[in-house]
Amino acid sequence: MAKEKELPEIEDLISESRQVAAAFDSEIPIPDSFHSTQQDLSDRQALRRVTGLSTELSDISEAEYRQLRLERVILVGVWTEGSDKDAENSMEELAALAQTAGSTVLDALIQRRDKPDPATFVGSGKVSELKGIVKSTGADTVVCDGELSPSQLRNLEDKVKVKVVDRTALILDIFAQHAKSKEGKAQVELAQMSYMLPRLRGWGDSLSRQAGGIGGRGPGETKIEVDRRRIRDKMSKLRREIGDMKVARDTKRQERRRNSIPSVAIAGYTNAGKSSLLNRLTNAGVLVQNALFATLDPTVRRSETSDGRIYTLSDTVGFVKHLPHDLIDAFKSTLEEVSGADVIVHVVDGSHSDPLGQIKAVRAVIAEIGGAKIPEIVALNKVDIADPEVIAQVLRQEPDSYLISVHSGSGIEKLIRAIETSLPQPRVEVRTVLPYDRGDLVSQIHEHGEILSQEYLPQGTSLHALVDGSLAHALEKYLVK
């Protein structure tokens, strides 16, 4: 356990920062120091835009122009509570989200208010200032740090004359880019439609009536009403498809439970190093990238304890402050990997300026999905490039944290021992002599039980072990009285 006596270890870990910091800050991905097959990274980077190289024509149309260049965005935030440092951290995270979505951040504005303006999110004076900045910088998008109501979205767009998106739409856009599996794509589409439904707007003919019969009897539906109905029908279809896919996931999970295989879920803030940790522990080959929400689809891998017991490790989708409820609802089947785990390894980015705030945000989401009572192991990652004062502050609040660096491998052995210790232990003590033709039962005891002693006798294998109830029942006829 990471007590105060281990604080000198921080200094040893910090000594690596000069070599590692440049690799983490660089936009070019640096391969892990351990064996990890990054099958998906080349696909994601197959179409990278080289900044500074442009062959645009002067008479290019606006529609073509928007397709050829990155969106140029202005960030806008309303600071209602907390310190100014909290507000700056929130805006830095919003900038990282915008860059992950493929935008160039030009400027950021923060306004101190008791609550957001009900009409335009920010006050009228700040709207005028924002309009001037948009015009002077040539920005084409405004990103607001909060969830805007349909009226706020419409009013702010009318004022600044450019596209306005909120934090929820930005996160949904990143998820849509990174979703890879059939289930992930369906979940993202459902979340997007849930977000879009109350924000549909009609222009001109979109509000006209649909003709019916010879003379168009009766007023009929407007086009926007037809669009809403089609979205609701599509949402119902997606929910059925996700429900069907959930059956397969539940079947696999129930099979593991039937065989008494403990599960460990790796959870944490986005970009904290969860996929890197899974690769380090199991060589899973999961995509690793210095970007927010780089991996969405859960990955389950088999692992073994030092005494031979089998357990599973699950990589899960990253969390973020103010995670949209639409996403939580849509990704409920994925998040069940966390709520149904026996142990949660909570990975924290030690190099972040506010790791305690990230811990709080992650625990809020875990509590919301019903995992508050599951045993938790806090793994403080990236300590080789972290500020020692920040690490010490986290250790004072979370004294049982484990200091690790997935990049260098420091502290991983202690974390593995902690995971093995936290796994549920078999409860039933048995003494049995198994015939040599029942090697299957001997194998099950080794995989799912805890061997206290083993001896080979003429009549079979003598075992003194701790096993679970179902395995004890299977061994009943071979028990030694």
Side-chain angles (χ1 to χ4, degrees):
M1 298 202 175
K3 305 296 184 181
E4 292 185 359
K5 64 181 180 181
E6 293 188 9
L7 290 179
E9 294 183 10
I10 304 173
E11 301 298 332
D12 298 332
L13 294 170
I14 299 303
S15 64
E16 303 177 21
S17 61
R18 293 181 181 178
Q19 293 80 16
V20 183
F24 274 80
D25 293 335
S26 173
E27 292 183 358
I28 302 175
I30 303 298
D32 295 321
S33 58
F34 53 92
H35 179 61
S36 173
T37 54
Q38 299 254 20
Q39 305 103 317
D40 303 323
L41 191 57
S42 58
D43 294 339
R44 184 166 294 179
Q45 294 180 337
L47 187 63
R48 289 180 64 87
R49 186 176 279 103
V50 181
T51 56
L53 298 180
S54 175
T55 56
E56 292 179 353
L57 300 175
S58 57
D59 60 344
I60 200 164
S61 68
E62 182 181 356
E64 293 170 325
Y65 183 68
R66 288 178 62 85
Q67 291 176 358
L68 287 173
R69 63 177 297 172
L70 294 170
E71 287 186 274
R72 298 159 58 84
V73 305
I74 304 293
L75 309 180
V76 179
V78 173
W79 169 28
T80 59
E81 58 184 6
S83 63
D84 55 349
K85 184 65 176 175
D86 295 334
E88 291 175 3
N89 288 337
S90 182
M91 294 302 289
E92 288 175 3
E93 182 174 280
L94 187 67
L97 288 168
Q99 290 169 358
T100 303
S103 303
T104 301
V105 179
L106 303 179
D107 205 348
L109 302 174
I110 303 178
Q111 184 177 31
R112 182 74 167 97
R113 293 177 62 93
D114 293 334
K115 59 181 180 179
D117 188 280
T120 55
F121 187 64
V122 292
S124 57
K126 190 64 71 174
V127 170
S128 300
E129 182 182 346
L130 175 62
K131 185 177 180 180
I133 293 176
V134 168
K135 188 174 182 180
S136 62
T137 58
D140 53 20
T141 306
V142 172
V143 181
C144 296
D145 190 19
E147 184 169 349
L148 272 61
S149 66
S151 60
Q152 287 175 323
L153 204 62
R154 181 175 61 253
N155 292 337
L156 196 54
E157 278 190 349
D158 290 342
K159 298 287 185 182
V160 298
K161 306 301 182 185
V162 294
K163 181 174 69 174
V164 176
V165 297
D166 58 13
R167 184 187 181 94
T168 301
L170 184 59
I171 293 175
L172 288 172
D173 184 80
I174 296 172
F175 273 52
Q177 292 180 46
H178 292 179
K180 189 177 65 172
S181 68
K182 181 179 179 182
E183 184 176 9
K185 291 177 180 178
Q187 289 169 331
V188 171
E189 188 176 0
L190 176 60
Q192 285 180 317
M193 288 188 169
S194 299
Y195 173 82
M196 184 195 309
L197 184 59
R199 292 170 175 81
L200 278 182
R201 286 177 284 176
W203 292 272
D205 292 341
S206 297
L207 297 177
S208 63
R209 301 289 177 180
Q210 301 295 298
I214 294 177
R217 306 180 186 92
E221 286 181 303
T222 61
K223 187 174 183 302
I224 196 169
E225 288 170 346
V226 174
D227 291 341
R228 287 194 181 112
R229 178 164 49 80
R230 287 174 176 168
I231 287 178
R232 290 191 188 99
D233 292 343
K234 179 66 174 177
M235 288 172 64
S236 298
K237 181 182 177 183
L238 286 171
R239 288 193 181 100
R240 287 194 300 270
E241 291 178 357
I242 293 173
D244 293 339
M245 288 182 275
K246 181 177 179 292
V247 172
R249 190 183 298 279
D250 288 343
T251 301
K252 294 178 182 178
R253 193 180 296 118
Q254 288 169 7
E255 184 68 15
R256 295 197 297 266
R257 288 174 180 169
R258 188 177 67 83
N259 292 321
S260 302
I261 299 177
S263 62
V264 178
I266 302 175
Y269 214 77
T270 180
N271 208 32
K274 300 180 298 301
S275 299
S276 297
L277 179 59
L278 182 68
N279 287 347
R280 168 70 73 172
L281 296 177
T282 66
N283 195 27
V286 179
L287 171 71
V288 173
Q289 190 176 15
N290 187 20
L292 306 187
F293 301 115
T295 51
L296 297 182
D297 303 310
T299 303
V300 181
R301 290 292 182 268
R302 178 182 184 273
S303 188
E304 288 187 12
T305 63
S306 56
D307 58 359
R309 285 184 294 145
I310 294 176
Y311 66 97
T312 60
L313 279 162
S314 306
D315 182 23
T316 59
V317 63
F319 300 148
V320 72
K321 290 179 183 174
H322 313 302
L323 191 67
H325 285 276
D326 291 336
L327 276 180
I328 294 177
D329 292 339
F331 279 77
K332 191 153 286 182
S333 61
T334 301
L335 294 173
E336 284 175 358
E337 294 291 346
V338 178
S339 60
D342 295 296
V343 179
I344 296 175
V345 177
H346 182 172
V347 183
V348 181
D349 184 357
S351 65
H352 193 268
S353 57
D354 184 25
L356 291 174
Q358 291 191 349
I359 292 174
K360 182 179 178 182
V362 170
R363 284 177 175 165
V365 177
I366 290 176
E368 190 169 347
I369 61 177
K373 296 183 179 180
I374 300 174
E376 177 191 48
I377 298 173
V378 178
L380 198 56
N381 190 25
K382 304 182 186 179
V383 293
D384 48 351
I385 58 170
D387 184 347
E389 294 184 1
V390 175
I391 297 296
Q393 181 184 2
V394 175
L395 289 178
R396 283 193 292 270
Q397 187 142 336
E398 301 287 338
D400 293 337
S401 301
Y402 290 82
L403 305 178
I404 68 169
S405 170
V406 177
H407 189 79
S408 66
S410 174
I412 297 297
E413 290 300 324
K414 288 184 178 180
L415 178 63
I416 292 174
R417 288 197 296 271
I419 293 173
E420 294 179 0
T421 304
S422 301
L423 291 175
Q425 298 290 334
R427 297 295 182 187
V428 182
E429 183 177 357
V430 295
R431 294 178 185 270
T432 180
V433 177
L434 295 171
Y436 287 117
D437 61 352
R438 293 311 307 268
D440 58 325
L441 290 177
V442 176
S443 176
Q444 287 185 45
I445 296 174
H446 276 277
E447 289 183 356
H448 308 304
E450 182 178 349
I451 304 293
L452 301 179
S453 67
Q454 180 171 326
E455 186 180 358
Y456 295 101
L457 303 175
Q459 63 270 34
T461 306
S462 175
L463 291 168
H464 179 203
L466 294 174
V467 297
D468 56 73
S470 60
L471 187 51
H473 180 72
L475 296 170
E476 192 170 354
K477 62 183 292 187
Y478 302 107
L479 295 180
V480 176
K481 301 297 182 181

